[in-house]
């Protein structure tokens, strides 16, 4: 079976996933009294594994909570050599191009991969191996920071699958890559 790479992420109106200081606090600007997960739990149940960048991995560790993922996590990094003992069976450090990592994931039997982290997503898009994206837009303008999208050499066309509005403020759109 073919491996598919998926993105589930939130951005500001101007397309940033973190502010100029690397903070993601803007994600909390809309009160969520119902504690909605914005479809995340349904999404993650369909995933076999997560590929995330080093920066995202380090951000998750800074949350000060127990490890939040129940599926294998592969961290793309040339700087990190190993992980703490408590994460040894949950996290694996990988290196290589997105195509090489996807091939390794396919060989290991993973079919639905959650790609997370700005630079990692950009690299996967540059190699045109993102199949679906769910993007939630938070109604704030950051004016700079970490952009979700980087420069591409070719136009990548996606088709709209669905849209949903949460808390009368957050717009979530699901796209599929046109092939």
């Amino acid at each position: 079976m073919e491996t598919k790479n998926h993105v589930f992420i939130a951005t500001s109106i101007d397309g940033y996933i973190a502010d100029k200081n690397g903070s993601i606090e803007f994600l909390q600007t809309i009160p969520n009294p119902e504690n909605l997960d914005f479809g995340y739990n349904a999404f993650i149940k369909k995933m076999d594994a997560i590929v995330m960048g080093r920066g995202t991995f380090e951000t998750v560790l800074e949350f000060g909570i127990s490890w939040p993922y129940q599926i294998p996590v592969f961290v793309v990094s040339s700087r990190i050599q190993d992980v703490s003992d408590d994460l040894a069976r949950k996290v694996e450090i990988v290196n290589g191009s997105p195509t090489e990592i996807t091939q390794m994931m396919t060989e290991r039997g993973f079919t639905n991969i959650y790609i997370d982290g700005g630079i990692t997503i950009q690299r996967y898009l540059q190699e045109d191996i993102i199949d679906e994206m769910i993007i939630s837009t938070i109604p704030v303008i950051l004016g700079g920071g970490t952009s979700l999208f980087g420069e591409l050499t070719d136009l990548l066309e996606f088709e709209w699958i669905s849209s949903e509005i949460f808390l009368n403020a957050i717009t979530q759109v699901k796209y599929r890559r046109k092939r």
Side-chain angles (χ1 to χ4, degrees), residues 25-52:
E25 287 184 29
F26 79 96
L27 297 174
Q28 307 301 321
T29 57
I30 303 299
N32 186 2
E34 301 166 40
N35 205 22
L36 297 176
D37 74 352
F38 308 103
Y40 177 79
N41 287 329
F43 168 81
I44 201 72
K45 284 179 185 174
K46 297 176 184 175
M47 299 297 113
D48 302 320
I50 301 170
V51 172
M52 71 173 57

Side-chain angles (χ1 to χ4, degrees), residues 30-34 36 38 137 139 164-171:
I30 303 299
N32 186 2
E34 301 166 40
L36 297 176
F38 308 103
T137 303
E164 196 166 350
I165 297 174
F166 294 97
L167 304 170
N168 292 320
I170 299 170
T171 305

Side-chain angles (χ1 to χ4, degrees), residues 114-131:
Y114 172 20
I115 309 302
D116 197 15
I119 293 171
T120 302
I121 292 168
Q122 288 178 15
R123 288 180 180 158
Y124 274 70
L125 285 167
Q126 288 167 351
E127 293 190 24
D128 192 11
I129 55 174
I130 294 292
D131 298 289

Side-chain angles (χ1 to χ4, degrees), residues 72 74 92-94 102-111:
F74 297 84
E92 183 177 329
I93 306 301
V94 294
T102 299
Q103 179 62 37
M104 178 269 297
M105 304 291 281
T106 301
E107 290 168 2
R108 291 172 83 169
F110 297 109
T111 57

Side-chain angles (χ1 to χ4, degrees), residues 11-92:
T11 71
S12 61
I13 291 172
D14 49 349
Y16 294 102
I17 59 172
D19 69 16
K20 294 173 186 174
N21 299 317
S23 172
I24 57 173
E25 287 184 29
F26 79 96
L27 297 174
Q28 307 301 321
T29 57
I30 303 299
N32 186 2
E34 301 166 40
N35 205 22
L36 297 176
D37 74 352
F38 308 103
Y40 177 79
N41 287 329
F43 168 81
I44 201 72
K45 284 179 185 174
K46 297 176 184 175
M47 299 297 113
D48 302 320
I50 301 170
V51 172
M52 71 173 57
R54 177 189 52 81
T56 300
F57 174 66
E58 290 173 348
T59 298
V60 171
L61 292 178
E62 290 172 6
F63 289 158
I65 60 173
S66 59
W67 188 244
Y69 306 107
Q70 305 304 311
I71 57 178
V73 174
F74 297 84
V75 177
V76 182
S77 179
S78 57
R79 291 185 195 172
I80 301 173
Q81 300 303 314
D82 53 20
V83 295
S84 61
D85 290 343
D86 60 320
L87 294 178
R89 293 185 178 188
K90 301 171 186 174
V91 175
E92 183 177 329

